[in-house]
Amino acid sequence: VQLQASGGGLVQAGDSLTLSCTTSGLTSHSFALGWFRQTPGKEREFVAGISRSGRKIGYADSVKGRFTISSDVAKNTIYLRMNSLHSEDTAAYYCAADTGSRWDSLPRNGDEYDYWGQGTQVTVSS
């Protein structure tokens, strides 16, 4: 199983960016997928996630209304569209898969996820 995150970069405040997480070794609807972020010295933070069924989607309060998670089953890819970026969004972003979650469950605790991508850096300059 592999998760490959990409799409990070350096942008200005107010700009948009789309992250991608491409999975391999996992069949569709066999895992919940979450996006997390972390900055040095801070704990890992749940950003957004989608359940195995694809019907349940959730966001951290800090990104609600600005970020959108979506999936393309045919491409084995989950996207995180980030609009109106703030300097506080600067972090390394990680995608993770939870293969043990229930059908409509959306885990927000990173400890529940068993596969992780390598991370992609997002830097927002103010």
Side-chain angles (χ1 to χ4, degrees):
V1 175
Q2 288 189 329
L3 284 74
Q4 181 74 36
S6 62
L10 173 62
V11 297
Q12 294 186 338
D15 285 351
S16 298
L17 207 57
T18 299
L19 305 183
S20 301
C21 178
T22 301
T23 66
S24 59
L26 293 169
T27 57
S28 60
H29 299 298
S30 69
F31 59 97
L33 191 123
W35 283 99
F36 293 80
R37 65 187 182 187
Q38 189 168 24
T39 56
K42 291 189 177 181
E43 290 191 358
R44 181 175 55 199
E45 175 188 18
F46 172 85
V47 177
I50 186 167
S51 65
R52 285 177 58 198
S53 67
R55 297 184 302 198
K56 189 166 185 178
I57 290 175
Y59 301 94
D61 289 342
S62 59
V63 307
K64 200 172 294 183
R66 299 188 297 121
F67 290 13
T68 303
I69 189 171
S70 62
S71 65
D72 186 332
V73 174
K75 295 183 178 180
N76 295 320
T77 301
I78 293 88
Y79 303 96
L80 184 68
R81 174 67 175 178
M82 306 184 294
N83 295 329
S84 302
L85 283 162
H86 305 157
S87 58
E88 294 78 16
D89 297 316
T90 294
Y93 284 73
Y94 300 87
C95 58
D98 177 1
T99 60
S101 65
R102 296 180 179 180
W103 186 242
D104 277 326
S105 174
L106 180 55
R108 292 176 178 249
N109 186 338
D111 292 341
E112 299 186 49
Y113 288 77
D114 39 8
Y115 296 102
W116 289 81
Q118 84 287 2
T120 184
Q121 179 68 34
V122 173
T123 302
V124 184
S125 63
S126 57

